[in-house]
Amino acid sequence: MDIGSPYEVDDDAANDVKELFIAASKHDLNSLPILLRTHSASLLDPESGRSLLHTAIAGARPTKEAFHQIQEHDNNHVNGDDSGGDADDAAGETVKLLLQNGAIWNDLDKNNETPGCLALRLGLRDLYNLMVDAGVRSEVLLGRLEGYEELNDEDSDEGSSQLPAPGPSTVSPQAIDTTSTDANEDTANIPQTVVHPPSPKATDQQPNLPTYLSTPLSFQPDRILDSSSNGVMMSWETSLMSKTASLLAPAPSQRILNIGHGMGIIDTHFQSTSPKTHHIVEAHPDVLRRMREQGWYEKEGVVVHEGRWQDVLPKLLEVEANTEGEAESVMFDAIYFDTFAEPYSALRTFFEDFVIGLLDDGGRWGFFNGMGADRQVCYDVYTKVVELDLFEAGWEVEWTEVKVPNLEESGEWEGVKRPYWRVGEYRLPICRFVG
């Protein structure tokens, strides 16, 4: 491990950094706290790209009981199940110590693995759970700080509060002063980048909504792609939409609201239940044009709202007079939300500010739960984050697990710029009012 030259430090400091990585790999809880007084817990090995967390997890060994358990469940844990094992206590304490000193939960090494990915692959369940919990703490904290930033940023330029694009967070080696000799220096205060939950169907370029709405779409029999070949919606989602529709609207004659028509998969399932009313909000002009061609505007009970849901829903919330002259607002028994090119904060605004005024007593609502689904650890983190945010907003959520086949093996991603789904189970959310 040639850790010295990229940091431009003297030989003694380089040796200290080597000792730091060795201490992490051996779970040396005597040396590690001392070394962390003068060195950042977010250092990376320039050869492998591994962080101290990667190193500590790679050096872990499962207990004897866990080893036999792993042998019995030799499935590589692609679905994030609980059939893994436990590492020795020293490994767990080392991971906790590194996290307490500012180690970053989702650094990517040169194998494109986060520390959590590595723990999952090695079958170290307890260390994997530590990484998931660290990710949840980081994302929840970011959500809180984001709110404060918005309050204090009234005079900034429009658009300056855009969220960072999803991706691994790292600290540049050159930005870290490994030569510090101040034993009291708080290395946990070294600036770090934390990652906010991505949009349900995140893309490499993270197109914003105005860009997406102004670019043409490609409609193919099994998919819709944007101008950059990002998957907007694909037919492999049909089983997920069918199950969602059956849970949201299990009976006929219900009042349904769907936000985001796309290929019309879930709207077709909703129509099969003979709803009393069926409102659809869609913003992309190409999708709207295709809806006209397919006769959606003429279907009985269907009301198509053209435009962004942020503009449409406030109008639905306005109190209107019914045929008897009494005041009433538009209410629904089932609501579904599946948009593209929007960050998680849009979904959070939706369930914090709008659903409560649109969903009738006893109603249910859901959303496409695809945040972080390009890797298991991120999917587990963001599922917990959204569950916490839902509860805080007054919603309880029931998860139904739906198996998803290996989409790469079946060739689903051919012609798509970036796969947005790589986990083995979909967690289908059905939300109701708490209590």
Side-chain angles (χ1 to χ4, degrees):
M1 178 175 64
D2 181 14
I3 197 92
S5 57
Y7 295 90
E8 299 180 358
V9 297
D10 57 34
D11 291 341
D12 290 339
N15 288 332
D16 285 348
V17 173
K18 291 180 182 178
E19 289 182 12
L20 183 61
F21 275 84
I22 292 172
S25 68
K26 294 184 176 181
H27 313 133
D28 186 348
L29 294 170
N30 293 319
S31 301
L32 199 56
I34 298 172
L35 291 165
L36 287 172
R37 293 176 185 173
T38 54
H39 296 83
S40 169
S42 56
L43 288 172
L44 301 177
D45 173 14
E47 289 184 353
S48 65
R50 283 189 169 183
S51 66
L52 291 169
L53 284 172
H54 285 98
T55 304
I57 291 170
R61 295 292 182 270
T63 61
K64 290 183 179 180
E65 293 81 3
F67 179 75
H68 294 302
Q69 189 178 18
I70 293 169
Q71 285 184 319
E72 293 174 1
H73 299 275
D74 186 17
N75 58 6
N76 293 324
H77 310 282
V78 294
N79 294 330
D81 60 30
D82 290 331
S83 58
D86 294 330
D88 57 86
D89 292 340
E93 292 303 314
T94 299
V95 168
K96 291 177 184 177
L97 178 64
L98 292 171
L99 290 169
Q100 290 166 0
N101 281 269
I104 300 170
W105 74 273
N106 58 351
D107 269 333
L108 287 175
D109 64 13
K110 292 186 178 179
N111 290 325
N112 195 36
E113 286 188 316
T114 69
C117 297
L118 179 61
L120 189 66
R121 177 166 60 81
L122 296 178
L124 300 170
R125 180 184 57 200
D126 57 339
L127 300 187
Y128 178 78
N129 290 338
L130 285 176
M131 298 313 306
V132 170
D133 290 343
V136 172
R137 288 194 300 270
S138 175
E139 302 309 308
V140 169
L141 176 61
L142 177 63
R144 300 298 181 269
L145 293 177
E146 181 184 89
Y148 287 118
E149 288 174 357
E150 289 175 358
L151 289 174
N152 296 327
D153 200 30
E154 294 178 356
D155 296 329
S156 63
D157 293 337
E158 182 178 358
S160 62
S161 61
Q162 291 292 323
L163 296 174
S169 57
T170 61
V171 176
S172 170
Q174 289 80 3
I176 301 172
D177 181 10
T178 61
T179 63
S180 171
T181 57
D182 183 358
N184 295 320
E185 179 180 346
D186 185 2
T187 55
N189 288 331
I190 293 176
Q192 300 178 18
T193 302
V194 286
V195 179
H196 196 76
S199 61
K201 295 169 184 174
T203 63
D204 286 334
Q205 295 181 340
Q206 281 298 285
N208 56 37
L209 189 58
T211 300
Y212 164 66
L213 295 179
S214 64
T215 56
L217 298 179
S218 170
F219 293 88
Q220 301 174 20
D222 62 343
R223 65 189 63 183
I224 299 176
L225 303 179
D226 69 4
S227 58
S228 299
S229 295
N230 294 305
V232 177
M233 180 169 281
M234 301 179 67
S235 62
W236 70 263
E237 301 173 33
T238 299
S239 61
L240 309 182
M241 299 297 172
S242 174
K243 183 66 173 179
T244 300
S246 67
L247 293 174
L248 285 177
S253 301
Q254 296 205 323
R255 300 161 296 172
I256 296 172
L257 168 64
N258 178 43
I259 298 167
H261 179 77
M263 295 175 67
I265 298 174
I266 198 165
D267 283 317
T268 298
H269 286 290
F270 283 144
Q271 277 290 293
S272 69
T273 67
S274 301
K276 180 179 180 180
T277 59
H278 184 179
H279 291 243
I280 304 171
V281 180
E282 176 56 53
H284 201 289
D286 287 357
V287 177
L288 291 167
R289 187 178 305 111
R290 188 173 178 85
M291 290 178 71
R292 288 188 181 278
E293 294 171 355
Q294 295 178 336
W296 280 96
Y297 283 72
E298 288 75 41
K299 291 182 183 292
E300 183 177 356
V302 170
V303 180
V304 179
H305 302 271
E306 300 183 355
R308 299 165 62 248
W309 63 266
Q310 293 91 335
D311 300 322
V312 172
L313 297 190
K315 298 176 182 178
L316 291 181
L317 287 170
E318 294 176 357
V319 176
E320 299 178 356
N322 63 19
T323 55
E324 286 77 29
E326 298 173 347
E328 67 176 19
S329 58
V330 179
M331 301 293 287
F332 299 96
D333 303 302
I335 299 174
Y336 188 65
F337 184 95
D338 183 8
T339 64
F340 184 77
E342 290 190 314
Y344 168 68
S345 57
L347 172 62
R348 194 173 62 210
T349 297
F350 173 72
F351 65 70
E352 287 178 345
D353 298 343
F354 290 97
V355 182
I356 193 169
L358 294 168
L359 191 67
D360 209 347
D361 292 341
R364 311 172 185 183
W365 74 275
F367 57 93
F368 183 82
N369 181 34
M371 293 172 290
D374 56 347
R375 63 181 68 239
Q376 186 69 54
V377 65
C378 292
Y379 194 58
D380 290 343
V381 166
Y382 300 140
T383 298
K384 289 189 175 186
V385 169
V386 72
E387 185 172 25
L388 289 171
D389 286 343
L390 284 166
F391 185 78
E392 186 173 311
W395 302 105
E396 60 182 9
V397 57
E398 181 178 350
W399 303 100
T400 299
E401 294 187 347
V402 182
K403 294 287 185 181
V404 177
N406 190 314
L407 301 175
E408 295 193 41
E409 288 184 356
S410 61
E412 289 286 346
W413 302 119
E414 292 180 9
V416 180
K417 182 176 181 179
R418 174 183 178 271
Y420 58 83
W421 194 275
R422 281 195 172 114
V423 298
E425 286 184 344
Y426 175 76
R427 295 186 185 125
L428 190 161
I430 299 296
C431 307
R432 298 177 177 88
F433 292 109
V434 171

